[in-house]
Amino acid sequence: MSDLIEWSALGQVLVAGVLVGAGIPALFALALRLWAGTTPDGEGAAASTDQAPHDTAGRAPGAATIARPTPVRLAGAILCMAVVVGAIVTGLVFLVSGGH
């Protein structure tokens, strides 16, 4: 039976499948999470009904104020997105050039 299955090739395909099938989407999700701002605790909860319809900034009551991501988080998000875009471009170039 070992003559029918090339175990090293099977292992390479398995590793590549796990990296591309789970690794790239995980990096994309991490990039989105890093890119998203943060909400301080307690904000974003529903406001009581006795408040004015809008505050002075024009926000509805209970609207969350979302802070921008820190420069480190933004750099991490950009790095993750660059890896994802690079993997996509590499895959497309490989397919277009006739590789299979």
Side-chain angles (χ1 to χ4, degrees):
M1 183 146 142
S2 63
D3 294 335
L4 297 176
I5 299 174
E6 292 185 32
W7 293 104
S8 64
L10 181 63
Q12 290 175 352
V13 169
L14 181 67
V15 168
V18 168
L19 286 176
V20 174
I24 300 300
L27 272 178
F28 181 74
L30 178 63
L32 290 182
R33 182 64 190 108
L34 290 173
W35 209 318
T38 56
T39 304
D41 290 337
E43 291 191 29
S48 63
T49 57
D50 60 347
Q51 292 181 345
H54 295 286
D55 64 2
T56 57
R59 293 185 300 253
T65 302
I66 299 176
R68 294 181 58 114
T70 63
V72 173
R73 287 181 62 167
L74 191 57
I78 290 171
L79 180 66
C80 289
M81 283 293 190
V83 170
V84 169
V85 169
I88 291 170
V89 169
T90 301
L92 287 174
V93 167
F94 179 72
L95 289 176
V96 168
S97 68
H100 10 105

